[in-house]
Every structure is written in structure tokens, then in C-alpha cells.
Amino acid sequence: MSSERRLQKTRAEILDRAWSLICDHGADVSLAQIAKAAGISRQSVYDHFGSRGGMILALVRRTDERLDIRARLFAAFEETDPQARLVSTVEVWIRFVKEIYPVASDLIRLRSTDADASAAWEDRMSELRDWLLTLTQGLEKEGALAPDWTAKQAADYLWASFSVQTWGLLTRDCSWPEEMAREVLKRTICQAVLRQDRSSS
């Protein structure tokens, strides 16, 4: 195995151990705990990621790549019918949220007190907002957005409406069944964002 492949393998193992620890104990686990779980020194974690913030950012980016969220969203954007496109987007994102929820919800909890967690979360959410803007710009160009929406406003609304926080509030705090939460989100988002008279226009 080449030194580069060995480096990547060690890096992946560190991130996998970090993900498991955060799922079990929360996002404020220390680098020392992560290093111990990975069977390496704390300095080795710094050597790979530069800082705790660098490791957290690498962790959330690796999760995006592992779950292929960008490709899955942009595949949904290829749907010809605007409503089918929006429904597919919500479904893709909710499946992703269910996968990342244990780590994502804790990063959100730490945002006000942990600059590393805040920076990592904002990095991923800013990219999601850009992806959603691509979606809503397409809907706007086709005349499919409801009156008074701009593409930017619609993208912001989508980002907030099926966020990790919204999913947690509905399925955890309100104890909604996941299927019910998913169907309500799809229905209400389509009603709010899409022109309801587009079939007759």
C-alpha cells in the first residue's frame, strides 16, 4: 500500500471513529477520546486535520460524500414535472437527514458555544442553500413558483422547512410518525412554493 493510500485509510478510520463517538456521546467529545478510539495519538489527529475544527469539517464533508447527497439532489432536480421535482428533492433530503440526525442535531446544539461546530455546520448548510437556489431558479424560469416568491426566498423557505431542526421537532418533540412527517412536509411545501394554477395557465 502506498504512503498516500495509507494516509487516506488512517484518515477515514479516524473520521469513522469520530462519527461513532459523536453518535454515542455527543459532538463535544474531545480529540483525545477520538484518538484513543482510533488507536493513535492525539498529535496524529492534529497531523491529519490541523485542528479540532478541521476534523469536524472533514467529518461532515465525508458524510456528504459517503451518502452522495449532492448527486442524489441533482438527480431529483432532473425531474421534468415541477411538483415531482420538488417532492423528489424533499424525499432525498429527508432520507439524508435521518442518516445524519444523531451528529447533525448535536452540532446544532453546540453552535452557540463551539466555534468549530458552528463553522462546520455553516459550511455544509451554505452549500445546501446554494443547491436549493439552483432548484428554485429553475422553477422560477419555468413560471412554476407561486406568486410573490423570488427564487432566493423560495430556496430559503425550503432550507428552513425540511431542515434537521424541523425534522427533529416533528418526529421527536411532537412524536409524529416519520411517514406522517414526510408526507405533511411534501404536501405543505408544494402548496406553499408552487403555482397552483400552472396546469391551466
Side-chain angles (χ1 to χ4, degrees), residues 170-183:
L170 291 176
T171 61
R172 271 66 174 182
D173 294 59
C174 298
S175 301
W176 283 21
E178 290 185 355
E179 179 66 21
M180 175 181 171
R182 182 168 56 250
E183 293 306 310

Side-chain angles (χ1 to χ4, degrees), residues 1 10 13 29 75-76 84 89 99 105 124 132 159 167 182 184:
M1 182 184 294
T10 301
E13 287 173 353
V29 295
T89 298
E99 291 276 350
S105 57
R124 306 322 300 139
L132 292 176
W159 175 73
W167 183 253
R182 182 168 56 250
V184 167

Side-chain angles (χ1 to χ4, degrees), residues 93-94 96-112 117-118 120-122 124-126 128-129 132 156-176 181 185 189:
W93 181 252
I94 286 175
F96 181 68
V97 165
K98 289 169 63 177
E99 291 276 350
I100 67 170
Y101 188 83
V103 171
S105 57
D106 216 50
L107 287 177
I108 293 166
R109 176 184 66 82
L110 288 175
R111 285 181 65 194
S112 61
S118 180
W121 187 247
E122 181 54 35
R124 306 322 300 139
M125 290 300 99
S126 63
L128 173 62
R129 289 195 295 271
L132 292 176
D156 290 344
Y157 173 78
L158 288 176
W159 175 73
S161 294
F162 55 62
S163 65
V164 171
Q165 296 96 317
T166 298
W167 183 253
L169 287 170
L170 291 176
T171 61
R172 271 66 174 182
D173 294 59
C174 298
S175 301
W176 283 21
L185 285 171
I189 286 170

